[in-house]
Amino acid sequence: MKHAILSCTGLDKPEGSVAREVTIRFADATGSEIICPVLLNRAPARYKKALSESSLIVVDGCSTRCATKLATQLEAKVERKVLVSDAVKASGQPLESTLSLGPGGLTLAQTIVDELVRNLNAPAVAAEPVADFETPTEYLVVTHDKFEFRIPVVDYMFNENDVWARVLDGVARVGISDYMQQKLTDVSYFDSPKMDAIVEQFGELGSLESAKAVFEIIAPVSGTVVAFNGAVVDNPALINEDPYGAGWLVEVKLSDWPQDHELLLNPAAYAEIVKRKAAEE
Amino acid sequence: MAETTFTGVPRDQIPWFPTIDYDKCTFCMECDTFCPHRVFERREGARKLVVANPTNCVVFCRACSKTCGPDAISFPSKPETIARIKQIREGLAIK
Ligand code: SF4
Ligand code: SF4
């Protein structure tokens, strides 16, 4: 499939200038179409064809995520996302404060483009899931106003950050709760963790994104990432449709389950947390 | 409401909450609009937004910082916070 690339304009920030540079260089390197965010906003029909034929690369300068917010109003599938301010942090070098890019900004832009191109040519493969689980059938239900939040009665353990773990043969499958799924609304992007990454309990297992928020997946367990759900990468709506089943996210080979287990909540205790959170809203 | 705890540790003993860098903050209020837990409060005067209820913050959540364009929100180190929680649990002999 062809690609189209949409970035913020970011004209008032150095990170925005990097986003713009990344967009131009990526389009040059791959022959992709550039989607101008201002024109898209004024005359969306102009890009209808390009968007229906391409998968989208979205580049934001800062956490205001203007390009992402624009993209969520489109029907397009988002294949990759870049947040320049995160890339700056990851590089360990502060960005020059000028709007015309200096050598540091230009190097960063090229690094981002190289990685994007590399990933498109060799997408991360989700290993086969290790665990074989049956979908839960019995739920606790927390009601608040017109909302109902379901929590499986057995087998699932939770952290207070609305992430569940289900364990079988030394592997935990991880996903988000029904409550969090409803809070995020339609999930548009799953940034999966790297295969073989080592994660501590309460560390990060990638993130989810919707029009409303970016959600860090906070690891309920410690261990090694052995699989992530490729079907969810292709179709994040599965998370909203079936958060405890087909919408699972990651599998982690456990390194210290007895320890981790002590710091997790059983379904009844998690139901109390959901009640409290829902009441605060 | 009963005193809240996190994994058995009283919440007010866990120093996890956002800190606003007022040199960067533009008082756009995105973070306050986003967070449902009434951690922030809007005020009159120069500092139009403050972290008023730090213990309402969900331990290990960092979501509001991802809404902040100027990157003005920071959190303590996670590993240090985890170590501290484990230490307190040992002291309380929580099983
Ligand atoms: S989102 Fe950032 S800039 Fe906006 S009010 Fe909050 S701390 Fe300040
Ligand atoms: S970290 Fe989460 S709970 Fe804490 S103030 Fe920010 S959004 Fe609210």
Side-chain angles (χ1 to χ4, degrees):
Chain A
M1 202 174 192
K2 287 199 299 190
H3 294 102
I5 184 160
L6 167 69
S7 76
C8 65
T9 61
L11 287 175
D12 59 343
K13 289 192 190 74
E15 288 82 357
S17 302
V18 175
R20 182 177 183 281
E21 190 66 27
V22 165
T23 304
I24 296 167
R25 290 187 184 208
F26 177 85
D28 275 351
T30 60
S32 304
E33 178 157 7
I34 293 178
I35 312 281
C36 165
V38 183
L39 186 54
L40 177 69
N41 209 16
R42 292 297 301 162
R46 161 73 181 73
Y47 290 117
K48 210 164 176 197
K49 183 157 178 291
L51 288 169
S52 68
E53 290 170 350
S54 322
S55 71
L56 198 59
I57 312 290
V58 178
V59 188
D60 276 307
C62 76
S63 300
T64 308
R65 300 188 299 135
C66 297
T68 297
K69 285 173 188 162
L70 263 176
T72 54
Q73 297 163 18
L74 306 169
E75 293 289 303
K77 172 177 159 40
V78 177
E79 176 158 340
R80 286 269 152 192
K81 293 182 40 110
V82 175
L83 182 59
V84 173
S85 56
D86 274 359
V88 172
K89 273 183 220 151
S91 77
Q93 306 273 355
L95 194 58
E96 293 108 341
S97 56
T98 50
L99 292 176
S100 303
L101 291 177
L106 291 170
T107 308
L108 179 68
Q110 191 58 46
T111 312
I112 294 172
V113 170
D114 290 345
E115 197 179 320
L116 267 176
V117 173
R118 207 170 35 242
N119 282 331
L120 292 180
N121 292 336
V125 267
E128 284 298 304
V130 178
D132 187 14
F133 290 115
E134 309 225 334
T135 311
T137 48
E138 245 190 285
Y139 296 94
L140 294 171
V141 180
V142 175
T143 37
H144 185 77
D145 290 343
K146 56 187 195 308
F147 295 102
E148 286 194 348
F149 307 114
R150 295 180 315 157
I151 300 161
V153 179
V154 286
D155 296 337
Y156 289 70
M157 294 292 284
F158 296 81
N159 63 21
E160 292 197 18
N161 310 94
D162 309 291
V163 180
W164 55 258
R166 185 173 179 182
V167 171
L168 190 76
D169 295 337
V171 171
R173 184 171 277 190
V174 172
I176 64 169
S177 71
D178 183 33
Y179 166 72
M180 183 42 72
Q181 166 279 114
Q182 292 189 46
K183 237 178 88 145
L184 282 171
T185 65
D186 294 340
V187 179
S188 55
Y189 188 68
F190 169 35
D191 189 8
S192 61
K194 295 222 166 22
M195 289 291 286
D196 301 322
I198 293 181
V199 62
E200 295 295 324
Q201 190 179 29
F202 303 115
E204 231 187 295
L205 277 175
S207 62
L208 301 174
E209 209 166 326
S210 70
K212 266 178 96 177
V214 180
F215 177 77
E216 258 179 61
I217 302 159
I218 300 194
V221 296
S222 46
T224 309
V225 175
V226 290
F228 61 87
N229 191 345
V232 164
V233 173
D234 289 340
N235 179 18
L238 286 174
I239 300 169
N240 299 101
E241 284 159 19
D242 189 8
Y244 298 114
W248 67 274
L249 301 172
V250 185
E251 285 183 342
V252 177
K253 192 168 188 310
L254 296 163
S255 56
D256 195 355
W257 173 236
Q259 247 294 11
D260 296 345
H261 186 265
E262 275 185 31
L263 299 185
L264 294 177
L265 305 159
N266 63 29
Y270 178 64
E272 291 303 314
I273 299 280
V274 169
K275 258 183 227 164
R276 196 175 83 206
K277 285 188 178 180
E280 277 175 7
E281 277 173 34
Chain B
M1 199 167 71
E3 184 187 33
T4 54
T5 58
F6 179 84
T7 67
V9 177
R11 177 61 185 85
D12 56 12
Q13 292 186 26
I14 304 171
W16 184 272
F17 48 82
T19 300
I20 301 173
D21 179 344
Y22 287 104
D23 289 336
K24 290 186 186 166
C25 176
T26 58
F27 302 107
C28 68
M29 305 299 172
E30 287 281 343
C31 54
D32 181 45
T33 307
F34 173 78
C35 177
H37 306 295
R38 303 195 190 104
V39 174
F40 302 99
E41 254 173 42
R42 302 183 191 201
R43 296 274 159 88
E44 300 291 320
R47 291 191 170 180
K48 292 192 197 62
L49 189 75
V50 296
V51 177
N53 302 304
T55 57
N56 279 11
C57 179
V58 178
V59 178
F60 300 128
C61 179
R62 290 195 285 221
C64 52
S65 70
K66 314 234 172 215
T67 68
C68 177
D71 201 12
I73 299 178
S74 60
F75 289 92
S77 130
K78 256 195 205 182
E80 278 169 30
T81 307
I82 293 166
R84 175 149 179 84
I85 290 169
K86 291 196 170 156
Q87 200 185 12
I88 300 174
R89 282 173 60 88
E90 264 164 39
L92 295 171
I94 295 170
K95 270 279 151 255

